Amino acid sequence: TDAASLLDARGVDAGYGTMQVLWGVDLDVRPGETVLLLGANGAGKTTFLKSLVGLIEARSGHIRLGGEDITKMRSSDRMKRGMTYMSELAVFPDLSIEENIRVGAQALGHANPGARVDELYSLFPVLRDKRRDPASSLSGGQRKMLGIAKALSAEPKLLVMDEPSAGLSPLFVKEVLRALSSLQGRGLALLIAEQNIGFLEIATRVFVLEGGRIRFSGTVAEMSGNEELHRAYFGLK
Ligand code: ATP
């Protein structure tokens, strides 16, 4: 166990029914860093993120957050300890943008949800402009921003995201990347599962998952120096 880690997962096995999907996965995230979890369709990225945030159980292994063992803890308690999961499903289409953000802040018993909402608007000005409109009126990229704002209303130390680029045009992917890089300066740690290597731009370290096992972990530079991985994820040199 690395004492400097914010999140530390060791030897995580997980699956569905009789099917084992993850095999002894080790991954750690340090305070304030951005870690990218790469892997093809079906590699087990979503399954791993869900086991971290408590949506499915780890069958073996240990997960620590801020040094505390959270392996058996319910999802809401993990959230109270500073880890939130960004999901578009958490956006309520019939509520206004502002109501959506407030619901998130209130659910966490935020002492001053109004102040938090203002802070989030300064991060995502487009949401301020549309604050009274129903969330259903947002574009795909804007809905993603709202999902992020909502997750941030909890003031997490670590934001866990599953394929933030999914369903977005390259222009909107750029917008999401810009929003995430402005969060990095504020000490927030990010763990992002992606197939889009555009996210390497903002990552400090990378883990590659294949067939439910970690095949590689290292810095972005180390990854691009690895001939075989480079070919698999960046195309031909
Ligand atoms: P994707 O990018 O497609 O989401 P992924 O790397 O996130 O891929 P997972 O969604 O974790 O991969 O899926 C890993 C394996 O687990 C796949 O074989 C998938 O079919 C299976 N799987 C995922 N969810 C379930 C479920 N609820 N019940 C049964 N099997 C599942």
Side-chain angles (χ1 to χ4, degrees):
T1 296
D2 184 350
S5 296
L6 172 59
L7 177 76
D8 192 20
R10 294 288 139 198
V12 172
D13 291 347
Y16 306 93
T18 57
M19 183 176 75
Q20 187 166 344
V21 172
L22 299 177
W23 305 81
V25 173
D26 292 340
L27 180 147
D28 67 298
V29 181
R30 298 170 197 141
E33 86 166 332
T34 297
V35 169
L36 189 63
L37 178 62
L38 279 177
N41 264 322
K45 303 182 298 297
T46 301
T47 303
F48 180 62
L49 297 189
K50 284 185 173 169
S51 71
L52 291 179
V53 299
L55 296 176
I56 65 170
E57 74 173 310
R59 290 177 178 173
S60 55
H62 284 278
I63 302 167
R64 287 188 185 78
L65 184 64
E68 185 181 9
D69 193 322
I70 60 164
T71 319
K72 304 279 175 204
M73 211 177 264
R74 65 209 296 194
S75 195
S76 57
D77 289 332
R78 298 182 199 209
M79 200 158 78
K80 285 183 193 129
R81 282 166 176 77
M83 172 166 62
T84 60
Y85 188 49
M86 198 283 261
S87 154
E88 284 154 275
L89 298 176
V91 169
F92 299 115
D94 298 331
L95 295 186
S96 71
I97 278 86
E98 179 140 336
E99 285 164 342
N100 261 287
I101 299 175
R102 279 179 179 272
V103 164
Q106 270 153 14
L108 274 131
H110 201 285
N112 189 353
R116 185 61 183 158
V117 170
D118 281 340
E119 235 180 286
L120 291 168
Y121 282 156
S122 63
L123 204 52
F124 304 104
V126 62
L127 297 180
R128 176 187 280 128
D129 299 340
K130 299 188 158 240
R131 65 185 180 278
R132 294 186 211 293
D133 298 348
S136 58
S137 69
L138 297 176
S139 70
Q142 292 164 344
R143 198 163 324 143
K144 206 77 71 165
M145 301 292 176
L146 179 56
I148 297 172
K150 212 172 161 169
L152 291 176
S153 68
E155 292 198 65
K157 297 187 192 94
L158 170 64
L159 177 58
V160 177
M161 311 175 92
D162 196 1
E163 294 209 65
S165 79
L168 295 183
S169 67
L171 191 69
F172 284 130
V173 172
K174 274 214 175 98
E175 225 179 281
V176 170
L177 278 170
R178 205 173 311 127
L180 292 178
S181 55
S182 72
L183 288 169
Q184 291 179 310
R186 305 178 178 217
L188 177 71
L190 303 169
L191 172 59
I192 308 172
E194 264 297 343
Q195 307 195 43
N196 184 327
I197 58 163
F199 283 75
L200 283 169
E201 262 176 49
I202 62 166
T204 42
R205 283 189 301 140
V206 191
F207 289 77
V208 177
L209 200 55
E210 273 182 19
R213 291 183 165 86
I214 294 292
R215 160 144 183 238
F216 169 86
S217 68
T219 63
V220 176
E222 282 162 355
M223 181 177 164
S224 59
N226 179 316
E227 198 64 42
E228 218 181 307
L229 283 174
H230 194 284
R231 224 175 296 124
Y233 288 89
F234 302 88
L236 292 171
K237 268 193 182 180

